Amino acid sequence: QVQLVESGGGLVQAGGSLRLSCVASISIDSRTDMAWYRQAPGKQRELVARISSAGSANYFVDSVKGRFFISRDNARKTLYLQMNSLNPEDTAVYYCWAKRYALSPKYDSTYWGQGTQVTVST
């Protein structure tokens, strides 16, 4: 029943790096867009990075540009978020997101992972 499972979170010092992974039980193909969101305690959930089905149209929120990199491996059904130069403001629960497009929008499917905690200390 769980469609997306994140891993790779943990506790790191400022300036360190982490790579998050999201393994999908659904098909990851040309009809599937994927993204990473994050939510800090007491804060709104924020879109961090998004990657198109073909991997050619990427988005990063300004605060992570140049530090975070999103990639996908459709064959392995896995989404990645490489996070470098981490700072305490990056502390949050990170969620994997996927949207699979159908011929008609009414049949589109959206999936969320359970989240993985990233904590950056000084």
Side-chain angles (χ1 to χ4, degrees):
Q1 297 292 324
V2 178
Q3 306 297 324
L4 306 172
V5 179
E6 304 97 330
S7 63
L11 174 63
V12 298
Q13 290 185 321
S17 297
L18 285 174
R19 188 183 75 160
L20 305 184
S21 299
C22 171
V23 178
S25 60
I26 62 172
S27 296
I28 303 297
D29 56 25
S30 61
R31 292 178 282 113
T32 307
D33 288 351
M34 303 190 77
W36 289 97
Y37 288 77
R38 67 185 180 187
Q39 187 168 24
K43 305 292 185 180
Q44 297 277 19
R45 187 169 58 192
E46 174 187 40
L47 174 62
V48 178
R50 184 173 61 228
I51 186 168
S52 70
S53 58
S56 59
N58 298 343
Y59 165 86
F60 298 94
V61 68
D62 286 345
S63 60
V64 309
K65 287 181 179 177
R67 299 190 297 118
F68 289 14
F69 303 90
I70 189 170
S71 61
R72 61 193 288 167
D73 187 330
N74 290 349
R76 297 179 183 271
K77 302 172 69 173
T78 304
L79 174 73
Y80 302 98
L81 184 67
Q82 179 66 47
M83 305 185 294
N84 301 319
S85 301
L86 287 162
N87 58 65
E89 289 71 38
D90 296 316
T91 295
V93 177
Y94 284 71
Y95 296 92
C96 182
W97 173 94
K99 184 174 184 178
R100 193 173 187 184
Y101 294 91
L103 184 61
S104 174
K106 68 182 297 184
Y107 298 112
D108 290 352
S109 297
T110 300
Y111 305 91
W112 290 95
Q114 83 287 354
T116 185
Q117 177 71 49
V118 172
T119 303
V120 185
S121 67
T122 58

